[in-house]
Amino acid sequence: MGSITLKAVEKWFGNAQVIKGVDLEVQDGEFVIFVGPSGCGKSTLLRMIAGLEETSRGQIIIDGADMTAEPPAKRGLAMVFQSYALYPHMSVGENMGFSLKTAGASKAEIAEKVGHAADVLRLDEYLDRRPKDLSGGQRQRVAIGRSIVRDPTAFLFDEPLSNLDAALRVEMRYEIAKLHQTLAASMIYVTHDQVEAMTLADRIVVLQAGRIEQVGSPRELYDRPANLFVAQFIGSPKMNVIPAGAYAASPQGAVHLGVRPEAIGLTAEGGDLRGVVDVTEYLGADTYLIVDCGEAGKLTVRTDGTTDLKPGQQIGLTISQAPLHYFDADGQRV
């Protein structure tokens, strides 16, 4: 089992409230990702679940038991930090089995559990090496392996890939996705990278200023954002937002119109809007155009990588009807 429930959880540092009444249920075996801008409280919330930060108010329930006041050691959770925190003088196998050794486990039990974790993470051939002889991705796998041997109730990841370069992050995203499939364990993962959130999560929790803005699957958040903040935070490049009346008739109460970059087409003549290409960003299969549309603002358009448009050229934009998003003056979905 690995269910985790937060009930009206709050965190105060003196007079400053950083977590503001969070309610959330994580089901057994679910992969949930906390995402949001820097300072939104996602790492603080994770540390509260782990017991590394005291909960000011509310309850943290793990597998039906109230663990709010319990120390980390009694919560049955394993945490993987941003830093690998490996012992440099120990081998990979010794690092992975150290927590079991300090808990008094037998050599046979340690060898069995370290061997299983090494097999899952494809670290078998590295067990006798020191951390300095490993790549960043391999070190992160060792840190994850150190958690696996403890057979925890759930895994907590605090931005585990932020120290890796772009290629290794892609590789480790795959590794973590496969790990979740193999272990079928509950995982809560913190990141500021919405690409990680979209590719890994069963459900995403979008946080802003200590509050949950929306919870849902990646597709739900992308297709039906609850408000303007979620609409622009989820998706890369972010959603274009223009005045609701700049394009066509809009629903009652709508002030802002949101359009994804891929919902905008190009035309040489006519179009729903006219503009001038300001910047082109070539990415191989895709090219992103930043188009200055005057009063409607600058819009990002996702187009085919073969486009030969250049800055300064005038073009027309056509807006697809189906994926439009309308928001009121407070930024809430209409």
Side-chain angles (χ1 to χ4, degrees), residues 42-50 79 156-158 188 190:
K42 53 188 184 294
S43 288
T44 299
L45 189 58
L46 190 77
R47 291 174 63 84
M48 291 167 66
I49 294 170
M79 190 154 177
L156 309 180
F157 294 88
D158 190 6
I188 303 178
V190 163

Side-chain angles (χ1 to χ4, degrees), residues 47-68:
R47 291 174 63 84
M48 291 167 66
I49 294 170
L52 301 176
E53 291 283 358
E54 181 183 344
T55 300
S56 303
R57 293 175 187 165
Q59 289 180 295
I60 296 175
I61 298 171
I62 301 174
D63 279 345
D66 188 345
M67 293 288 179
T68 312

Side-chain angles (χ1 to χ4, degrees), residues 25-26 56 117 126 139 146 163 183 198 220 240 249 292 312 321:
E25 287 191 18
V26 178
S56 303
Y126 304 107
R139 292 179 194 178
R146 185 173 51 195
N163 287 336
L183 299 179
M198 294 287 284
E220 287 169 348
N240 297 294
D292 189 342
Q321 289 288 331

Side-chain angles (χ1 to χ4, degrees), residues 37-316:
S38 296
C40 70
K42 53 188 184 294
S43 288
T44 299
L45 189 58
L46 190 77
R47 291 174 63 84
M48 291 167 66
I49 294 170
L52 301 176
E53 291 283 358
E54 181 183 344
T55 300
S56 303
R57 293 175 187 165
Q59 289 180 295
I60 296 175
I61 298 171
I62 301 174
D63 279 345
D66 188 345
M67 293 288 179
T68 312
E70 296 295 337
K74 292 192 176 181
R75 299 193 182 200
L77 306 174
M79 190 154 177
V80 179
F81 295 93
Q82 180 177 338
S83 61
Y84 316 126
L86 302 178
Y87 296 107
H89 63 288
M90 293 184 182
S91 68
V92 166
E94 289 169 337
N95 266 283
M96 290 170 63
F98 184 69
S99 62
L100 297 177
K101 182 178 180 180
T102 57
S106 67
K107 289 184 178 181
E109 181 183 358
I110 294 172
E112 179 185 355
K113 290 189 173 182
V114 168
H116 170 68
D119 183 55
V120 169
L121 295 167
R122 294 182 290 114
L123 288 170
D124 307 74
E125 61 184 285
Y126 304 107
L127 288 176
D128 294 326
R129 295 191 188 181
R130 295 281 195 271
K132 66 181 177 63
D133 300 321
L134 305 179
S135 69
Q138 290 166 342
R139 292 179 194 178
Q140 191 57 274
R141 296 214 303 270
V142 175
I144 294 171
R146 185 173 51 195
S147 299
I148 291 175
V149 299
R150 295 174 52 200
D151 193 22
T153 299
F155 292 86
L156 309 180
F157 294 88
D158 190 6
E159 301 197 49
L161 309 186
S162 58
N163 287 336
L164 305 180
D165 62 36
L168 274 176
R169 282 203 299 273
V170 173
E171 180 183 329
M172 283 304 301
R173 282 208 309 266
Y174 169 81
E175 298 285 356
I176 290 173
K178 292 298 293 182
L179 178 67
H180 182 245
Q181 291 175 17
T182 302
L183 299 179
S186 303
M187 295 183 177
I188 303 178
Y189 185 109
V190 163
T191 181
H192 63 274
D193 185 341
Q194 52 105 7
V195 174
E196 286 180 26
M198 294 287 284
T199 54
L200 288 172
D202 294 324
R203 284 193 302 153
I204 297 173
V205 179
V206 183
L207 292 157
Q208 184 188 27
R211 290 189 174 90
I212 292 179
E213 294 288 342
Q214 189 174 356
V215 181
S217 70
R219 185 176 295 277
E220 287 169 348
L221 267 58
Y222 192 81
D223 290 345
R224 290 193 60 81
N227 55 47
L228 206 51
F229 174 79
V230 176
Q232 291 201 287
F233 193 84
I234 298 295
S236 180
K238 69 180 183 179
M239 181 185 288
N240 297 294
V241 178
I242 62 177
Y247 160 57
S250 56
Q252 184 176 0
V255 174
H256 307 286
L257 167 62
V259 187
R260 295 285 183 195
E262 63 271 19
I264 302 176
L266 304 177
T267 180
E269 302 293 336
D272 300 309
L273 294 169
R274 299 290 297 177
V276 177
V277 177
D278 190 25
V279 173
T280 64
E281 298 178 344
Y282 175 70
L283 297 175
D286 297 314
T287 295
Y288 295 124
L289 305 176
I290 313 299
V291 181
D292 189 342
C293 295
E295 292 184 1
K298 294 184 179 181
L299 306 187
T300 301
V301 182
R302 181 179 182 178
T303 187
D304 191 272
T306 60
T307 186
D308 57 358
L309 288 168
K310 300 290 189 294
Q313 288 185 247
Q314 287 197 353
I315 56 171

